Amino acid sequence: MKKVTIHTLRKMKQAGERITVLTAYDATFAALFDAAGIDALLVGDSVGMTVQGHDSTLPVTMDQMVYHCGCVSRAAQRAHVIGDLPFGSYQASADEAVRNAMRLVAEGGVGSVKLEGGADYADVIRRIVRAGVPVMGHLGLTPQSVHKLGGYVVQGRGEEKAARLLADARALEEAGCYALVLEAVPSAVAAEISRALTIPVIGIGAGVDCDGQVLVCYDMLGMNAEFQPRFVKRFTELAAVIRAAAEEYRSEVRRGTFPGPEHSFSSSAEPRAAPRAGPIALAANGADPAAPAAEGEGEGGGQANIISLPLPGASLPSAGSQVLGTSGRAGSEADAHSDERPVKLYSVPTGMLE
Ligand code: KIV
């Protein structure tokens, strides 16, 4: 499978193909987005808010970003992975910025880094690019400057501010950025900047005329029922789904209906029972659900589990009829897809799950 690179993204802009980007912070989400055909995964410092529970991105550290970049990079087979340089990792000096950008590549496995700021950061960007690390810029609402901006507010309103934004965008392109994120900017301003630059402009709250879009994955998945800014579309309502699943689990444990015999081990080896149908399907190892365990797959077997997901564009099995399983015992509907490709998701020894 061909990996998406910064050159792919540039060609997509030239061909007028819109670029899709989502944030990801761990291997499970990254593998799913990758299998869905998302072009680039941004390991955003939004991890500080979505995962760590802070009220800003400011407390996120380099070590944490290296860790999350590694989680995502290991799972992304096709998507380009972008690592965010966190607050304090590139502002003090160009030397420090280069060192930290290289850490995200060498230790975190990313293909490029992102940093926030305009023309003031042109020299820093030049130094990082010269060191061999592609840089994505970030203008408009730059959350690391939340105190300077006075809050999370729309940027670039009014002629003068729009002109300054365009000048900053040109400066970033000139400094060697391969792409640019524009956040919370009036659509007309974002459209003008997208037309003016040869590099892809990826919008978030910047209208439809950007060269691509990025959203924070927890937002577009509806993980937080209370958070509904104007620029976010919830493509599903996972908060309700997850809460319902947790409530059902709690109820079954309390009632003593989970675990059932099919989830329990007997004293002697026996053929595995078929799994119960659940709400979501992942076909593991491409294995025949009815087949007995292969020799060496028992306890201590060291094979990694591979889930199979439909290729981007393939029709999904209907909701409610898929089978969730990571044990190589997955269900029938997912198996019916002829165009599935295996996606490495977990490195759990198969034997642990038998
Ligand atoms: O950290 C992040 O998730 C971001 C996106 C909102 C662009 O920077």
Side-chain angles (χ1 to χ4, degrees), residues 23 42 44-46 84 114 138 181 183 204 214 216:
T23 67
L42 169 63
D45 61 358
S46 49
D84 232 351
K114 177 169 85 57
H138 185 157
V181 165
E183 179 166 354
I204 172 166
V214 57
V216 170

Side-chain angles (χ1 to χ4, degrees), residues 21-25 42-50 57 65 84 114 116 136-138 141-144 181-183 202-204 214-217 219 231:
V21 185
L22 281 176
T23 67
Y25 317 105
L42 169 63
V43 189
D45 61 358
S46 49
V47 70
M49 300 170 87
T50 55
T57 60
M65 287 308 301
D84 232 351
K114 177 169 85 57
E116 299 178 8
M136 173 181 259
H138 185 157
L141 201 181
T142 46
Q144 291 178 15
V181 165
L182 267 188
E183 179 166 354
I202 311 296
I204 172 166
V214 57
L215 279 178
V216 170
C217 63
D219 296 347
F231 63 89

Side-chain angles (χ1 to χ4, degrees), residues 56-72:
S56 78
T57 60
L58 304 181
V60 177
T61 68
M62 260 312 290
D63 284 346
Q64 290 164 354
M65 287 308 301
V66 166
Y67 170 81
H68 287 285
C69 286
C71 297
V72 170

Side-chain angles (χ1 to χ4, degrees), residues 126-159:
R126 267 190 211 100
R127 284 283 310 278
I128 298 174
V129 173
R130 205 187 313 151
V133 178
V135 177
M136 173 181 259
H138 185 157
L139 291 175
L141 201 181
T142 46
Q144 291 178 15
S145 306
V146 60
H147 296 311
K148 188 171 148 195
L149 299 176
Y152 298 102
V153 284
V154 174
Q155 301 294 307
R157 277 196 172 133
E159 253 176 61

Side-chain angles (χ1 to χ4, degrees), residues 294-317:
E295 204 146 333
E297 267 191 29
E299 271 170 52
Q303 248 178 287
N305 286 281
I306 309 288
I307 61 162
S308 293
L309 294 171
L311 278 170
S315 61
L316 285 165

